[in-house]
Amino acid sequence: MTKFEDISLEEIISDGFDIVAEEITLSETENNTDQKIFPILPVRNMVMFPNVVMPITAGRKNSIQLLEEAQKNGDFIGVLSQKNSDIEQPVEKDLYHTGTLAKIIKIIKLPEGNITAITKGFHRFKVKKFMETSPYFKAEITKLKDVKPKNQEEYEALLENIKDLALKIIELDPNIPNAANFAIKNINNNDELLNFICTNGNFLSSDKQKLLEEKNLMERANKCYELMHENFRKLELRNQIHQKTSKDLDKQQKEYFLNQQIRTIQEELGGGPESDVEELLQKARTKKWAIEVEEQFQKEINRLQRQNPNSPDYNVQRNYLDFFTDLPWENYSKDIFDIEKAQKVLDKAHFGLEDIKKRILEHMAVLKLKNNMKSPILLLVGPPGVGKTSLGKSVADALGRKYVRLSLGGLHDESEIRGHRKTYIGAMAGRILQSIKKAGTSNPVIVLDEIDKVAQGIHGDPSSALLEVLDPEQNKSFYDNFLEMGYDLSKVMFIATANSLSTIQTPLLDRMEIIQIAGYTLEEKIEIAKRHLIKKQQEENGLNTKSFKLGNAELKHIIEAHTSESGVRSLEKRIAAIARWTALQTALEKDYDPKISLDKVDEILGVPRPKSLSEVSDVPGVVTGLAWTSVGGDILFIESILSNGKGALTMTGNLGNVMKESATIALEYIKAKHEELGIDQEDLEKKNIHVHVPEGATPKDGPSAGIAMLTSMVSSFKNKKVRPHLAMTGEITLRGKVLPVGGIKEKLLAATRAGIKEVILCEANRKDVEEIKKDYLKNLKVNYVNKMEDVIDIAIEK
């Protein structure tokens, strides 16, 4: 026999779902001539029989709708079993065609939107034809009649045997409720008893379906009896195994008591819980901590002394006190306020990054004047490979503090930050306090790497847990669930790194000081390679300074022809490839020129990518746009072409909604202003225009391409080329106004890398350009515009 999953047999009986009280009789099915079409309810892992009350739990929307409407209309429903219970949305072929007509007695609403319907079966039926499938199945059916046994005495004797065997099974199986015993004894009708046992027997659903399809009651009873015998034998075998296992457990208990005696003898000879307490007290004597921390420690050590050393709680308490005494508490490293030395440390480790260096030196000057160790929270935002993470190590070296790096990428459990409660198995403190313990001081530099890649999971939101950590007003008493008391993080210097601000919560951003790190210029990359990257790769590949040399011209060629990035990570990979080639020549004892030439660079690294853009944009309708990505700035091409048609606009290139809107706005603006733009009305009406942004595999979205799309369309309609080596970025309005966009520094650096000589920006972006070093833009002309007419005047060739 099996239990009901959601509502037990005891609850059905005790709650009084009395069929007599509900006045549902078999005659209702005979008199219900109005109902021709029956709603069909597919069920999983169960088969319903006539004259049996059963709960059916529904979670699928269409099943819930069916049950509620059937109850409201007083309809009978047809209950059909699924052939495969794993199918979520069954179709006609997934259902058996023989089932049971049922009446809904009561509907109980469950949490999470599910419902349980208490139903009673009446007639077996067979589906003649399915009429509808949406929103749920409806079918025309044929009622099936049971064939009564010819020998009534033999049938009654068989039912008595089935009843006795069912009672034995109930005694053997602990999973069957006591109410089943009561129910079987109180069913007087033989047919109802047979159907009740067929319904609740511990048989496979496919076997139950065969029992339902059997029209001869005698045959159904024989098959049911065979299945029950098989079930009974399995239960007897399981009980025999259980008794044998119990004897083995008695043996294990004897061994346990002997081990306890051995442990007691060992404690008499020395060791045991007393030595644990003494060891912890010895560690505590060396600690400098506040009065409330001392009180907490004494309370917890007393709790340890009261516990049985053999209980599981003893080890939990011991681990807690070990962690408690390992924390540095009031232990602080002394800050070095030699600002000149700090500047040398920063300059030696990092070339460029003047803004961040200036900010760190300013902070050190404030610390020196105030003599206060309260630290700010810095957020370094920039593309990969610009040195955000390694900058934290340099800051720690400059201040003379311990350094700990905490990677947050992919973190999706709040307990990783706040820790677990001691009551959980395997509980431990959060990563913040574990980092403090690892550092050994309460004022280290902790780098929270990839804070923009924290994910929200089913176990809470870690970024919300970081709000307390990164708030200078709150982190003086950061509460860790494992420690169960506040810990002072106000002296810790947190440096967070991120590639993008878009995925970081706004409250979290408000707690940090944002420092934008743009990409490096060509000159900076060359200097970084000469100072750091070449030496590093020489050491990692077993070479020396004489093994291979790269001059400025070669480094410039590698950067321009073999990399396209804001940072220097790809550049380092290319230098590593040259170093490995050199290592191979050295190992083979071949002669080679250690001064690597331009030709040799291309031979090692492969075919260089083309530098010039003029060949690409040498036709009407092609415009170079400037884009911002999570890895820095980049350029993209926007193409448009005309074809005969009815003025339709089509777009391709994996574009997001915002870019599609920009293209629509651009075309509508052209239609409205076609006379001022010199475009023929007939072309607009009889030409289709197709806009495409290459690299269709890459998703693209944002308003920055608005003016580029409009320029591309005007170029196609007027059949005039866009000026070469020109790029643009900006948003447009229906009135033809140009709006500012973000990421200007990254976009302009990308333009210089791509050989662009002239750009068009919104006038409101002038302040962003003025913040960029003049050296970065020395070969770039910037045109500022307010209206689309200005853009077209500058961009389209006369």
Side-chain angles (χ1 to χ4, degrees), residues 7 17 53-55 103-106 108 116-120:
I7 296 182
F17 296 122
V53 176
M54 279 197 76
K103 190 81 172 178
I104 299 168
I105 301 171
K106 186 173 183 180
I108 302 168
T116 291
I118 309 301
T119 58
K120 183 186 177 185

Side-chain angles (χ1 to χ4, degrees), residues 318-498:
R318 171 65 205 265
N319 290 338
Y320 169 76
L321 284 166
D322 273 336
F323 181 78
F324 194 98
T325 51
D326 284 340
L327 283 172
W329 294 102
E330 303 288 328
N331 180 27
Y332 300 106
S333 60
K334 190 175 180 181
D335 284 341
I336 300 170
F337 293 128
D338 189 341
I339 295 176
E340 290 183 2
K341 182 184 175 185
Q343 186 162 8
K344 288 177 183 176
V345 170
L346 292 170
D347 287 338
K348 183 180 178 183
H350 294 269
F351 183 80
L353 304 180
E354 301 302 330
D355 291 341
I356 178 65
K357 290 179 190 174
K358 180 184 172 186
R359 178 64 190 86
I360 292 162
L361 293 174
E362 287 172 354
H363 168 62
M364 290 180 66
V366 172
L367 288 179
K368 185 175 182 179
L369 295 174
K370 281 184 68 181
N371 199 20
N372 179 356
M373 289 192 291
K374 188 172 181 180
S375 297
I377 286 96
L378 304 178
L379 173 60
L380 309 181
V381 184
V386 295
K388 299 185 299 295
T389 306
S390 58
L391 198 60
K393 181 76 170 71
S394 301
V395 172
D397 292 341
L399 286 170
R401 293 191 181 190
K402 296 286 186 180
Y403 165 77
V404 184
R405 176 180 167 272
L406 191 59
S407 178
L408 299 179
L411 199 74
H412 55 79
D413 189 349
E414 182 187 345
S415 299
E416 293 283 344
I417 304 296
R418 288 194 179 278
H420 308 79
R421 299 197 178 277
K422 286 191 296 183
T423 51
Y424 294 117
I425 295 171
M428 60 177 67
R431 290 199 191 184
I432 301 295
L433 286 194
Q434 285 183 28
S435 299
I436 298 281
K437 173 189 165 186
K438 180 181 176 183
T441 64
S442 288
N443 64 335
V445 173
I446 296 182
V447 173
L448 302 172
D449 216 5
E450 310 288 1
I451 199 170
D452 57 327
K453 313 231 173 14
V454 174
Q456 185 170 349
I458 58 172
H459 300 295
D461 183 4
S463 60
S464 297
L466 284 169
L467 294 175
E468 185 183 359
V469 177
L470 298 179
D471 191 338
E473 303 303 322
Q474 295 181 35
N475 64 10
K476 190 171 178 62
S477 57
F478 169 67
Y479 186 88
D480 187 283
N481 291 327
F482 184 78
L483 188 64
E484 293 183 339
M485 67 177 299
Y487 194 92
D488 186 4
L489 299 179
S490 62
K491 310 294 191 298
V492 178
M493 186 171 186
F494 289 102
I495 298 178
T497 73

Side-chain angles (χ1 to χ4, degrees), residues 37 129-133 138-140:
I37 307 300
K129 168 171 73 166
F130 281 95
M131 310 297 290
E132 294 180 33
T133 58
K138 290 183 181 177
E140 187 179 339

Side-chain angles (χ1 to χ4, degrees), residues 633-699:
D634 201 359
I635 63 163
L636 54 82
F637 298 106
I638 294 170
E639 306 172 344
S640 63
I641 194 168
L642 299 179
S643 59
N644 292 327
K646 296 181 180 179
L649 169 65
T650 52
M651 290 164 277
T652 53
N654 201 351
L655 307 182
N657 289 333
V658 179
M659 283 191 81
K660 289 177 181 177
E661 287 170 4
S662 295
T664 307
I665 290 168
L667 184 58
E668 291 303 319
Y669 176 79
I670 292 170
K671 288 178 179 179
K673 302 281 186 179
H674 68 93
E675 291 180 359
E676 292 92 325
L677 296 172
I679 296 171
D680 192 356
Q681 175 76 25
E682 191 175 343
D683 285 343
L684 292 170
E685 293 174 353
K686 296 185 177 180
K687 297 284 185 181
N688 289 341
I689 185 158
H690 183 102
V691 178
H692 175 64
V693 184
E695 295 185 46
T698 306

Side-chain angles (χ1 to χ4, degrees), residues 669 707 710-711 732 736 738 786-793:
Y669 176 79
I707 65 171
L710 197 147
T711 305
I732 58 168
V738 180
N786 283 316
K787 297 181 294 182
M788 266 316 301
E789 292 91 328
D790 302 334
V791 176
I792 292 164
D793 286 342

Side-chain angles (χ1 to χ4, degrees), residues 25 74 165 197 296 335 374 376 454 512 553 662 669 707 777 784:
T25 63
L165 187 56
I197 292 172
Q296 174 79 2
D335 284 341
K374 188 172 181 180
V454 174
M512 296 183 283
S662 295
Y669 176 79
I707 65 171
L777 310 176
Y784 299 104

Side-chain angles (χ1 to χ4, degrees), residues 65-79:
Q65 183 182 348
L66 183 152
L67 290 169
E68 289 176 344
E69 290 180 4
Q71 187 196 34
K72 182 180 176 182
N73 300 329
D75 289 342
F76 283 82
I77 62 171
V79 180

